[in-house]
Amino acid sequence: MEKNIYTVMYTGNAKRYQDLCQEIAAFSNREAVERFYAAMLNENYFPVDEFSWGGLVYDCDGNVIADAYDECIEYDGGYFYAEQLITV
C-alpha cells in the first residue's frame, strides 16, 4: 500500500484554522487528519489505541471527537477533514 498526499482542512467556528490547508503524506484521509491533529493539538488528543490510526479518539474532557469509522475529527463546533491530492 502506497502513501498518498492529502490536504487537511477545517470547517467550523475556530477562526484560527479557517484558512488551514496542510499537505500530509498518509495511507488514508483519517490518518492524515490524525497526524495533523496529534501534531497541532496534542494536549487535546487521546486515542484509544496509540499505535494505529482510525480508532476511537477522546479530547481532554473525555468527549468522543472521532469514532472508529469517522474520516474527520470534531473541533470547536466544526471538524478537521482531508482530501486526497495525488498518489506518491
Side-chain angles (χ1 to χ4, degrees), residues 7 23 26-27 30 41 44 47 51 55 57-58 69 71 78 80 84 87:
T7 300
E23 291 185 3
F27 291 108
R30 173 63 181 268
L41 297 156
N44 201 33
F51 301 104
V57 179
Y58 293 95
Y69 300 103
E71 289 193 353
F80 291 97
Q84 183 177 343
T87 301

Side-chain angles (χ1 to χ4, degrees), residues 2 8 10-11 29 34 40 53 59 62 66 70 83:
E2 296 181 2
V8 176
Y10 174 79
T11 184
N29 291 27
E34 279 200 56
M40 298 301 292
W53 305 105
D59 66 8
D70 289 345
E83 293 181 359

Side-chain angles (χ1 to χ4, degrees), residues 1-6 24-28 84-88:
M1 192 169 168
E2 296 181 2
K3 283 190 175 183
N4 298 311
I5 303 297
Y6 294 89
I24 296 178
F27 291 108
S28 68
Q84 183 177 343
L85 291 179
I86 56 173
T87 301
V88 178

Side-chain angles (χ1 to χ4, degrees), residues 48-74:
V48 171
D49 182 359
E50 295 182 31
F51 301 104
S52 69
W53 305 105
L56 197 60
V57 179
Y58 293 95
D59 66 8
C60 61
D61 296 323
N63 301 310
V64 174
I65 56 174
D67 288 322
Y69 300 103
D70 289 345
E71 289 193 353
C72 60
I73 294 180
E74 296 175 13

